Amino acid sequence: MPRTRHIELKPIHPSAALRTAYQRKLTAAIEEMHRSVVYWVLASYRANPPAIAMDEAPIRSFQRMFRKVRNRWLKNFDTLSEKMAAYFATEASKRVDGALSSMLREHDFAVKFKTTIAQREAVQATLAENVSLIKSIPERYLGDVEGLVMRSFQTGRDLGFLSKALQQNFGVTK
């Protein structure tokens, strides 16, 4: 009976460089969205300060503007989520396969990798989860911003208060 050789391979850890690159891209997109939203919200607020009277024009004007900004950023993040999730899943898979292949070669194993159905499903699940997570960022952020502005209108808050509240909300989103 042939002798069996047992080899224990080192664990393969996620790539810190990949995680950092992914995080930078996502943070840059969030910061760009935040700058744009703050610009448009504050410009709208300056142009139409909250009125104590029963005039609804400032709120209506804000809602029209915010709907456009919201739709633009939701669309941007829809596109971004697909690209970033695909990048992350593909790169992570390549790096793990490369690391495993390298370890096996060190121990004189020659293996040609073929993606199995289970592996493809795992990559697709990772893709879907990342797309969902990325899309949730602007949805939640924009909902929070809209709530802050509406409360500022209701209570007659000034621009300084709203500006500080938006910055605090950005810290939470980031």
Side-chain angles (χ1 to χ4, degrees):
M1 184 167 186
R3 232 176 115 185
T4 305
R5 187 174 138 196
H6 293 281
I7 298 173
E8 188 172 321
L9 299 175
K10 294 181 274 182
I12 299 173
H13 298 287
S15 167
L18 178 60
R19 181 183 55 80
T20 301
Y22 184 76
Q23 184 177 2
R24 280 188 187 142
K25 286 181 182 186
L26 191 54
T27 299
I30 293 168
E31 288 172 350
E32 182 183 358
M33 174 181 62
H34 175 70
R35 283 191 304 273
S36 170
V37 168
V38 167
Y39 172 83
W40 287 108
V41 166
L42 296 182
S44 176
Y45 208 78
R46 267 187 216 104
N48 302 295
I52 301 298
M54 300 303 260
D55 185 12
E56 289 186 337
I59 291 173
R60 296 265 189 253
S61 174
F62 167 78
Q63 287 172 324
R64 265 193 315 282
M65 175 280 304
F66 197 73
R67 193 172 19 254
K68 289 177 186 175
V69 171
R70 172 188 282 278
N71 289 341
R72 186 178 91 216
W73 283 106
L74 289 175
K75 184 178 176 185
N76 283 355
F77 269 75
D78 280 352
T79 303
L80 177 74
S81 67
E82 297 287 338
K83 288 179 182 177
M84 282 194 64
Y87 164 79
F88 175 74
T90 303
E91 289 301 311
S93 181
K94 280 183 197 174
R95 291 168 194 232
V96 167
D97 288 351
L100 181 58
S101 181
S102 176
M103 277 191 264
L104 290 173
R105 272 195 308 276
E106 284 177 16
H107 295 286
D108 298 324
F109 283 93
V111 178
K112 181 162 175 117
F113 287 109
K114 287 187 180 181
T115 307
T116 66
I117 292 172
Q119 288 171 316
R120 282 192 297 269
E121 286 177 358
V123 169
Q124 289 304 314
T126 300
L127 262 166
E129 181 181 19
N130 278 313
V131 166
S132 178
L133 289 170
I134 293 169
K135 284 182 177 183
S136 73
I137 294 168
E139 290 167 359
R140 183 163 182 189
Y141 170 77
L142 293 167
D144 290 348
V145 168
E146 188 173 23
L148 283 171
V149 174
M150 290 303 165
R151 284 188 296 282
S152 289
F153 269 110
Q154 289 171 345
T155 58
R157 296 286 188 164
D158 67 355
L159 193 58
F161 175 84
L162 178 60
S163 183
K164 285 179 188 172
L166 289 171
Q167 291 307 321
Q168 287 172 343
N169 184 54
F170 174 64
V172 171
T173 300
K174 196 172 172 186

